[in-house]
Amino acid sequence: MSKTRYKNQKESNEEIAKAYIENDYTNSQNKLLLVSKANYGKKSSNVCYSSVDDKGMNFYEFNNNAEQNLMLIERYEWADFSSVTIDHSITKSVFTFVGHGENRDITIEGKGKEVEQVIRNHSSMEVNVVKRPVWTKVLGYRSQTTWKMFAASTVYTLILLFILNALLPASTHNFITGLSLFLFLLSIIGFLVGLIKPKWVLPKFKVKTRKRVLFSYLYLILSCLFIVGIFSDEESTSTPASTQVSSSQNSVTVSSKKDGADSSKKKVEKNDSDKAVKEEKKQKAEEQAAKEEAKRKADEQAAKEEAKRKAEEQAAKEEAERKAQEQAAKEEAKRKAQEQAAKEEAERKAQEQAAKEEAERKAQQQAASQQATTSSSTSSSGNYKPFENDPSDDQQSNMSCSGQIKGNKNSKIYHVPGGAYYDRTQDNIVWFCSEADAQAAGYRESQR
């Protein structure tokens, strides 16, 4: 696969690799499932790609400056490994394959979940997924490196403080600043004590070292400084305004002293009037707030009652459905019991009918046997000529032996009493005193 072809098409390296791998699998018996960037532990400046199929995975090394952009360098078969341990993070997944030989560590970028699913569906390996806390998947905490986690915590804290500064009212800023200064002093003391006795200032940490004291209390000190710096800006900027207000008040006081008694009286009256107006407004505001609070409580009460009513209706509906299901189950059980009883009754009647027919058949066979014994003496004298009756008459009243054997003259088949076609045979009847007479006359016994 030439480099010029892809360059003319202006494809990315990943598209080039994917096209090459798909072409490589054209004549393969394995089914290509996905392609992803990978790292299998080999130190190389070139990018590696993996192709995952139903039998294993191939590893290719990509070189954009080579005549052949992608080269197969290694293949792993699922059957060569007994288990795999998977550690998923946000951007990559580390697969540790355990087999009969050397273990393999493979890193798949972006498609770790898909590779895990392929392994579960197409191999017999034991799959163990590492359970990591959610915070270890956050940027800065994934490597579990101390200085990276310290830097990430500092940045996240600074961002959070800016957000809180925008959300919290200005009246709370002084309290937050004072509390931060107090915590700052405590952090300084804890830091100094922890350098001497780490276990005194790290009661809830398993690892109680000076390094842990350094990072923990340095983070607290910086956080307190950030809080003081962020929440005190507004206070400092508001100082000139307050100074201006106080100066204007002083000027008003001075000018008021220069006024006469009349102006002082008018000012007092105006202040009283303004005060009355403010009190009236305050009273109206309180009344409005009380009305809104009462309305809110009424709405909440109505919402609670509505929710309670719906819950009761739902419970009643579920109870009705349950009773209906129980009733249907009872009716179904009753119907099945009736069907079973009817079936048993039918079987009993069938057995009784069979027993009755069996008894009748045995009686007929007994009578036929006695008749055969009687007719055998007659046939021994050579008198076995059958009696042929009128086709419309099936009676044997004028036969000398009153025989039981009924033969069909056309089919040459004879029927014994109790046979399936004995009563059905109505025409072309030939009577015999015994089966021996029928057989001697060239007739054969009916199969039924």
Side-chain angles (χ1 to χ4, degrees), residues 190-202:
F191 176 74
L192 297 175
V193 173
L195 293 178
I196 302 172
K197 290 288 185 180
K199 64 180 180 178
W200 288 0
V201 295
L202 298 173

Side-chain angles (χ1 to χ4, degrees), residues 12-235:
S12 65
N13 293 343
E14 187 170 355
E15 291 173 341
I16 295 173
K18 186 175 181 181
Y20 181 92
I21 292 172
E22 289 176 352
N23 183 64
D24 191 29
Y25 271 83
T26 303
N27 299 322
S28 175
Q29 295 181 353
N30 300 330
K31 182 180 179 182
L32 178 63
L33 300 176
L34 59 93
V35 177
S36 175
K37 284 187 178 180
N39 186 334
Y40 68 104
K42 182 178 179 181
K43 295 182 178 178
S44 175
S45 59
N46 298 324
V47 180
C48 293
Y49 290 89
S50 67
S51 64
V52 181
D53 54 63
D54 55 344
K55 299 295 179 59
M57 62 169 54
N58 293 341
F59 287 92
Y60 301 85
E61 190 173 53
F62 186 87
N63 188 350
N64 200 27
N65 298 319
E67 182 67 23
Q68 186 174 349
N69 299 121
L70 210 65
M71 181 179 295
L72 177 63
I73 54 178
E74 196 164 0
R75 175 171 175 80
Y76 298 148
E77 297 285 345
W78 303 137
D80 294 338
F81 303 102
S82 59
S83 64
V84 59
T85 301
I86 307 173
D87 187 5
H88 292 296
S89 63
I90 296 178
T91 59
K92 62 183 180 180
S93 300
V94 179
F95 292 75
T96 302
F97 291 92
V98 179
H100 304 293
E102 183 180 357
N103 296 347
R104 299 288 184 181
D105 290 331
I106 299 169
T107 302
I108 301 295
E109 296 184 9
K111 297 183 178 180
K113 295 285 187 179
E114 290 85 344
V115 177
E116 177 189 347
Q117 194 62 37
V118 171
I119 293 173
R120 291 182 183 275
N121 295 338
H122 298 280
S123 73
S124 58
M125 281 187 287
E126 179 184 355
V127 180
N128 301 311
V129 179
V130 177
K131 296 182 178 179
R132 300 177 62 181
V134 178
W135 64 269
T136 59
K137 298 182 180 181
V138 179
L139 184 64
Y141 297 92
R142 293 176 292 183
S143 63
Q144 300 292 296
T145 306
T146 305
W147 69 268
K148 288 184 178 180
M149 292 191 294
F150 175 80
S153 300
T154 304
V155 173
Y156 293 148
T157 302
L158 190 59
I159 295 172
L160 179 61
L161 290 176
F162 277 114
I163 296 173
L164 291 176
N165 181 44
L167 296 178
L168 294 176
S171 59
T172 62
H173 290 185
N174 291 334
F175 172 76
I176 294 174
T177 303
L179 181 62
S180 301
L181 290 174
F182 177 71
L183 293 176
F184 174 77
L185 294 176
L186 290 180
S187 300
I188 293 292
I189 297 172
F191 176 74
L192 297 175
V193 173
L195 293 178
I196 302 172
K197 290 288 185 180
K199 64 180 180 178
W200 288 0
V201 295
L202 298 173
K204 294 186 178 181
F205 288 90
K206 293 182 180 180
V207 180
K208 301 178 180 180
T209 61
R210 289 181 175 85
K211 182 179 179 182
R212 177 59 64 88
V213 172
L214 174 64
F215 281 103
S216 300
Y217 280 87
L218 185 59
Y219 167 74
L220 290 176
I221 292 170
L222 289 176
S223 299
C224 292
L225 291 177
F226 289 155
I227 294 173
V228 172
I230 293 172
F231 284 86
S232 62
D233 287 343
E234 200 168 300
E235 184 180 356

Side-chain angles (χ1 to χ4, degrees), residues 381-444:
S381 62
N383 185 19
Y384 61 86
K385 184 177 180 180
F387 167 76
E388 298 182 12
N389 69 325
D390 190 301
S392 63
D393 183 16
D394 61 348
Q395 301 297 321
Q396 49 181 330
S397 57
N398 56 351
M399 285 186 62
S400 59
C401 62
S402 298
Q404 297 288 328
I405 308 304
K406 182 188 290 187
N408 189 306
K409 186 176 182 181
N410 294 336
S411 63
K412 295 296 182 177
I413 297 174
Y414 69 90
H415 306 276
V416 298
Y421 295 98
Y422 185 86
D423 295 331
R424 297 183 186 181
T425 304
Q426 303 291 333
D427 298 325
N428 301 316
I429 300 174
V430 178
W431 295 96
F432 297 96
C433 294
S434 65
E435 291 186 35
D437 292 344
Q439 293 173 2
Y443 287 73
R444 65 177 180 84

Side-chain angles (χ1 to χ4, degrees), residues 242-256 267:
S242 61
T243 306
Q244 184 177 1
V245 172
S246 61
S247 62
S248 62
Q249 289 177 352
N250 293 331
S251 62
V252 171
T253 305
V254 172
S255 61
S256 64
K267 188 174 180 180

